[in-house]
Amino acid sequence: MAWLKDIVAPAGAAIAKAETDKAAAPKSWNINPHNLGYANNSLEEVGSSIHPGTVGLDYLTLQSVSRIPVIGAIIQTRLQQLSEFCVPQQNPYSSGFRIRLRDGEQKATKAVKTRARELEKIIIEAGGKYGIGSFEMTVRALMRDSLVYDQCNFEILRTKGGNVYGYIPVDASTIRRAKPSTKKRSEYNKGHFYLGQEDKLAYTQVVSDKIVNKYAYDDMAWGIRRPRTWIEVNGYGYPELEELVRVITDL
């Protein structure tokens, strides 16, 4: 995601990107243009609440299953374990997170260290007054969505000048990948749909069967842990709860 450009890039990254931009795009299909869920290009016609990464389960069903005592206990255990990494790491042997250069052999300059502290502050403060609390609370909210839906989303907050100053978690059950724009319709009909920095409409927020927000590629983070090449799922995740649906139903 383009907002990650705030992290110091390794030497030669610009050259590599220039070479990539000139390269031919892949010709393999990554979506099914005959899929009924994507057949109509009108953004006003919102599909069902079924999770596109499952074989018919909707987001509410996945949420309900996650509240079964045994399943809920497992999810809570994982959240407790993750919370230990929501503080700056005090030394190389303690739990926590640390901001460093991508190139581990490159020596950090004074300017780089200053920028690292600024980024650390942004991470810790999360959304500030617009968020739900501390970095730990934000991670707990995001990872609960991830463990239930294999999808987590947070909106990127920017200053008027366009600089990133925070982020807020968003209910993943309301976020969908947007249908291809008219400009990309020809590529879509050929089975190609690639999100990139130039996309002004990449994600939508759907509440009560209505699109209430639209997001550019740079303004919404889309996170999945279990990606697949299956063309029918259109880039959505693979929830563990869907994989274990027969076992959970027995419970």
Side-chain angles (χ1 to χ4, degrees), residues 45 48 108 123 142 163 202 212 235:
E45 295 187 15
S48 69
I123 291 174
L142 290 171
N163 295 319
V212 296

Side-chain angles (χ1 to χ4, degrees), residues 148-166:
V148 175
Y149 312 121
D150 191 16
Q151 176 186 330
C152 68
N153 303 97
F154 56 89
E155 182 180 355
I156 311 302
L157 305 179
R158 300 178 186 274
T159 63
K160 291 183 178 180
N163 295 319
V164 175
Y165 75 87

